[in-house]
């Protein structure tokens, strides 16, 4: 029942910055239950985890984005963010927001994916 809507994608030159947002809604959504993350999928490539944050606020980053991207969330506003700095052409992809209840998965607590937002980094 959780719904996710991403925004903030667009076109940017190498070295530029973008800030992605993911708004969560639905009666079942709770930051104490759901881990949240950003994934991306480039053309012809597998979807990969970019960054995640769990209910205990533990954060993980893909090695390729460490030092450049920052994941954060505002629980009161039910929003997840991804600040992307020093963007590179290889960051070009569709970025997806994910909410995962992990071991709490049930008919009430279901995994959810956003529709994706396109990020294009080119000169």
């Amino acid at each position: 029942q959780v719904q996710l809507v991403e925004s903030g994608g667009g076109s940017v030159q190498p070295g530029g910055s973008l800030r992605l947002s993911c708004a969560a809604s639905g009666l079942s959504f709770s930051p104490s239950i759901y881990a949240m993350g950003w994934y991306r999928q480039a053309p012809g490539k597998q979807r990969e985890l970019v960054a995640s944050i769990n209910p205990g606020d533990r954060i993980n980053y893909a090695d390729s984005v460490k030092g450049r991207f920052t994941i954060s969330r505002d629980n009161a506003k039910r929003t997840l963010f991804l600040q992307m700095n020093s963007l590179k052409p290889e960051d070009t992809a569709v970025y997806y927001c994910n909410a995962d209840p992990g071991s709490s998965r049930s008919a009430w607590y279901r995994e959810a994916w956003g529709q994706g937002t396109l990020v294009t980094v080119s000169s």
Side-chain angles (χ1 to χ4, degrees):
Q1 296 296 325
V2 173
Q3 294 184 328
L4 306 174
V5 179
E6 302 100 332
S7 62
S11 297
V12 65
Q13 296 184 76
S17 298
L18 286 173
R19 182 177 173 87
L20 305 184
S21 298
C22 171
S25 63
L27 293 176
S28 63
F29 181 77
S30 172
S32 67
I33 297 296
Y34 283 87
M36 299 194 71
W38 289 98
Y39 289 74
R40 67 185 181 188
Q41 188 166 23
K45 303 293 184 180
Q46 294 182 330
R47 186 173 298 187
E48 64 175 350
L49 177 67
V50 176
S52 65
I53 182 167
N54 74 3
D57 290 333
R58 176 171 291 185
I59 294 173
N60 289 313
Y61 293 101
D63 288 341
S64 60
V65 307
K66 286 182 178 178
R68 300 189 298 120
F69 292 9
T70 302
I71 188 171
S72 62
R73 63 183 176 189
D74 185 329
N75 292 340
K77 296 182 179 179
R78 300 161 66 91
T79 304
L80 181 74
F81 303 97
L82 185 67
Q83 178 66 46
M84 304 185 293
N85 298 325
S86 302
L87 283 161
K88 304 175 180 179
E90 51 263 44
D91 295 318
T92 296
V94 176
Y95 284 71
Y96 298 91
C97 180
N98 171 258
D100 187 356
S103 61
S104 295
R105 286 187 184 184
S106 68
W108 184 249
Y109 296 116
R110 298 178 180 179
E111 184 182 28
W113 291 91
Q115 81 287 351
T117 185
L118 178 63
V119 172
T120 301
V121 185
S122 62
S123 58

